[in-house]
Amino acid sequence: MSSSSSFEQPQVITCKAAVAWRAGEPLDIEEVEVSPPQPLEIRIKVVCTSLCRSDLSAWESQSLLPRIFGHEAAGIVESIGEGVTEFEKGDHVLAVFTGECGSCRHCISGKSNMCQVLGMERKGLMHSDQKTRFSIKGKPVYHYCAVSSFSEYTVVHSGCAVKVDPMAPLNKICLLSCGVAAGLGAAWNVADVQKGSSVVIFGLGTVGLSVAQGAKLRGAAQIIGVDINPAKAEQAKTFGVTDFVDSNNHSEPIPQVIKRMTGGGADFAFECVGDTEVATTALQSCSDGWGVTVTLGVPKVKPEVSAHYGLFLSGKSLKGTLFGGWKPKSDIPSLIEKYMNKEIMVDELVTHNLAFDDINEAFELMREGKCLRCVLHMSK
């Protein structure tokens, strides 16, 4: 091999990463080895990554350890693997937890974003060869959602990355790689909220507030936010919530409260908590005949939804969605454009900015319900 070609060949990088060794215990900042990108993969220098509740839930309950969590991330391409033509070194990118191969049955259907090749990865490995790209002293460290952004460098499949406008601020648009996009897409793509309609949203975190924003932009006349934390009421107004319901502060069942407020049930209901009992409550809260309930949350316990069949006989429907129905490569650039044109709010959801080394503080803030999105900044 000539010296010039060996010089261009990416080498193993040693960098800092936040490694989970035990479920629910503080992450350790460790030196990890990050392998070069394999065919159709890219290695990214992570610039910013935000903490999503799914990271928290997985960290609290995971048995697949050691692991590097993190999946809402923006960075710069450091190197590319063989066969990659879409990206080059220096490109700004978002990493996404569900990919788009562009050729499977789902990708070409025009009906779905559930890519059969690069869909949600649950084994902690790379899609291509079922191996990891992280190791510590020669021992493998598992990935999370095929992203693992709680590391200064990470390797992702090129189908799980989206090239973005280099003018877009990476410390803000990282939120569009999961939570904000999921909420907007649930309102626009999945429910297709109509002008003048009534909407109820259970859970006013980042996803719920993004649903509210999406419903407001569609012209919904009434947007009810339901949460157990009354401190969220004021901020929710900024995103379009017209009425706040503290679910701990009512003696009658919440579906009855919503039906009374909406004159018979909301046209659209959204479950953004990650609780299947709340999904049932949302279904009970939407209107007979045409009410649509969309569930977005990922439950930690009791994954089965139970509902009386009469709810469906009465004409209600229950839908689920992953990433708001967006195809990442096809659709996310248009969301970034909307953000750059000030058509959608993202900045307002960033409540904390912390250095990467303070990642455990970010986990505590989210566990205590004191933040919406905490953005972690890698050292320069």
Side-chain angles (χ1 to χ4, degrees):
M1 184 182 285
S2 70
S3 59
S4 62
S5 61
S6 63
F7 175 77
E8 292 166 6
Q9 188 69 26
Q11 304 298 312
V12 170
I13 285 178
T14 301
C15 71
K16 285 196 303 185
V19 180
W21 292 95
R22 292 161 296 279
E25 293 190 20
L27 308 180
D28 291 335
I29 302 292
E30 303 269 11
E31 291 279 314
V32 301
E33 293 88 42
V34 186
S35 299
Q38 297 305 299
L40 299 181
E41 296 175 354
I42 60 175
R43 188 161 59 189
I44 299 170
K45 177 179 172 57
V46 178
V47 174
C48 292
T49 179
S50 43
L51 179 60
C52 172
R53 185 157 287 280
S54 330
D55 296 307
L56 179 77
S57 300
W59 164 71
E60 287 177 331
S61 61
Q62 226 10 279
S63 56
L64 201 58
L65 299 165
R67 200 168 200 183
I68 296 171
F69 289 106
H71 65 283
E72 281 191 353
I76 298 168
V77 176
E78 177 271 336
S79 57
I80 63 173
E82 186 185 326
V84 174
T85 55
E86 183 188 350
F87 300 99
E88 56 187 43
K89 186 174 178 177
D91 282 344
H92 287 206
V93 292
L94 287 186
V96 284
F97 68 89
T98 182
E100 182 182 351
C101 76
S103 56
C104 72
R105 179 179 175 226
H106 280 253
C107 281
I108 64 175
S109 70
K111 302 175 184 176
S112 164
N113 67 346
M114 302 294 288
C115 179
Q116 293 168 295
V117 179
L118 300 171
M120 189 98 166
E121 206 294 312
R122 301 175 195 277
K123 300 178 195 167
L125 306 169
M126 293 299 289
H127 286 99
S128 49
D129 62 3
Q130 300 295 292
K131 294 178 181 175
T132 81
R133 301 288 176 263
F134 297 107
S135 60
I136 295 178
K137 295 174 184 168
K139 295 189 176 177
V141 177
Y142 290 108
H143 296 246
Y144 179 64
C145 287
V147 175
S148 290
S149 55
F150 295 161
S151 172
E152 291 178 319
Y153 289 86
T154 189
V155 175
V156 304
H157 193 286
S158 57
C160 297
V162 182
K163 191 187 295 191
V164 300
D165 179 350
M167 298 303 293
L170 297 177
N171 61 330
K172 299 296 195 295
I173 63 168
C174 56
L175 273 66
L176 290 170
S177 61
C178 182
V180 177
L184 290 170
W188 294 344
N189 305 329
V190 184
D192 191 16
V193 170
Q194 303 294 308
K195 185 176 182 179
S197 59
S198 57
V199 172
V200 60
I201 301 160
F202 292 84
L204 296 176
T206 297
V207 175
L209 292 176
S210 299
V211 171
Q213 177 180 187
K216 178 186 178 183
L217 290 169
R218 276 289 179 92
Q222 185 180 28
I223 303 172
I224 303 167
V226 183
D227 204 284
I228 58 173
N229 182 358
K232 293 182 178 180
E234 200 56 39
Q235 185 174 33
K237 290 179 187 174
T238 311
F239 290 86
V241 171
T242 57
D243 304 274
F244 179 81
V245 172
D246 178 350
S247 51
N248 283 339
N249 202 25
H250 285 272
S251 54
E252 64 180 323
I254 294 301
Q256 289 181 22
V257 175
I258 303 304
K259 284 182 176 179
R260 189 174 67 251
M261 292 173 73
T262 55
D267 299 314
F268 301 98
F270 296 86
E271 184 281 313
C272 305
V273 176
D275 185 316
T276 50
E277 290 186 6
V278 176
T280 304
T281 302
L283 189 61
Q284 293 166 341
S285 302
C286 71
S287 175
D288 287 347
W290 60 79
V292 174
T293 295
V294 180
T295 180
L296 294 86
V298 180
K300 283 192 287 186
V301 294
K302 192 181 173 286
E304 298 83 13
V305 177
S306 59
H308 193 282
Y309 77 98
L311 293 171
F312 301 107
L313 286 185
S314 72
K316 301 182 184 198
S317 61
L318 175 64
K319 291 182 172 186
T321 174
L322 186 73
F323 199 43
W326 301 111
K327 289 184 174 187
K329 286 184 178 296
S330 302
D331 300 329
I332 296 309
S334 67
L335 276 184
I336 293 171
E337 189 178 341
K338 284 183 185 295
Y339 167 73
M340 296 295 280
N341 292 336
K342 297 184 166 49
E343 295 171 39
I344 57 173
M345 293 191 295
V346 175
D347 299 15
E348 293 80 359
L349 291 161
V350 178
T351 52
H352 296 76
N353 287 279
L354 292 176
F356 178 57
D357 286 354
D358 297 326
I359 187 168
N360 287 307
E361 184 184 334
F363 270 80
E364 281 308 307
L365 284 166
M366 181 158 276
R367 185 146 68 170
E368 293 167 9
K370 292 179 179 174
C371 74
L372 286 171
R373 276 296 184 268
C374 180
V375 175
L376 298 162
H377 298 256
M378 298 298 174
S379 54
K380 291 285 186 280

